[in-house]
Amino acid sequence: MNFDEAFDRLIGHEGGYSFSPSDPGGETMWGVTAKVAYANGYTGRMKDLPRDTAKAIYRKQYWDAVKAEQLPLALRFEVFDAAVNSGVSQAVKWLQRVAGVGEDGIIGPMTLGAAAKLDGKSAAAAYNGIRLDFMTSLPTWAMFGKGWARRIASNLQALKA
């Protein structure tokens, strides 16, 4: 899976404009929070955030940050999606746990080397299990848990392909 494919799949999870008072992320468009959009130089209204701007942000802030191109194919989307949903450091820690290396949240040669030795689909399933377990412990689970669980279920179902 390359970045373009991953982005198109991710947008299926993230959708369009949202502004829920219950969401700690606040106002979002294409899943990009206002804070992240403005930190990346966007100056317009969030409702008007172009898809291409969101795509550039996702590549830089998440795909490149987790070194997705260097991960086994079956893990690329899983780690990228988790980075978007829970932050880069947390997504990397879950990868490190599956790979059996120290969890420092930094993806370096040791993590990449250990990940390369994993059985892709089994590792991706384990990764999603760790992710789901973490998310059920969040105080916002009651409000957003159903959507998060569906997102992870979709990722698990895609592993059969």
Side-chain angles (χ1 to χ4, degrees):
M1 174 174 288
N2 64 32
F3 173 71
D4 290 330
E5 295 164 333
F7 176 76
D8 288 342
R9 185 170 159 199
L10 179 83
I11 289 302
H13 290 314
E14 293 295 341
Y17 180 77
S18 174
F19 191 22
S20 169
S22 304
D23 187 346
E27 189 176 21
T28 65
M29 181 65 180
W30 308 114
V32 175
T33 65
K35 180 179 178 182
V36 169
Y38 298 141
N40 280 275
Y42 181 68
T43 58
R45 293 178 345 136
M46 284 306 293
K47 283 185 178 182
D48 300 328
L49 180 75
R51 189 175 192 268
D52 286 344
T53 301
K55 188 173 184 176
I57 290 169
Y58 278 119
R59 178 181 273 286
K60 176 185 167 195
Q61 294 282 130
Y62 306 104
W63 182 264
D64 290 348
V66 299
K67 300 184 181 181
E69 294 285 340
Q70 297 176 53
L71 295 175
L73 285 174
L75 285 167
R76 288 180 183 181
F77 183 79
E78 311 310 321
V79 178
F80 170 59
D81 185 54
V84 168
N85 202 214
S86 298
V88 170
S89 178
Q90 186 61 63
V92 171
K93 286 177 185 177
W94 295 331
L95 175 63
Q96 291 169 328
R97 188 173 311 163
V98 170
V101 297
E103 295 178 40
D104 64 2
I106 300 167
I107 191 154
M110 186 178 293
T111 300
L112 291 171
K117 295 175 187 171
L118 295 171
D119 175 286
K121 288 186 179 184
S122 294
Y127 185 91
N128 278 297
I130 291 167
R131 180 180 176 190
L132 183 58
D133 185 53
F134 171 87
M135 296 184 95
T136 62
S137 72
L138 297 175
T140 50
W141 176 259
M143 177 67 62
F144 300 107
K146 188 173 183 178
W148 292 337
R150 284 185 173 154
R151 182 179 189 139
I152 293 169
S154 173
N155 291 353
L156 288 166
Q157 291 166 3
L159 293 176
K160 72 175 187 214

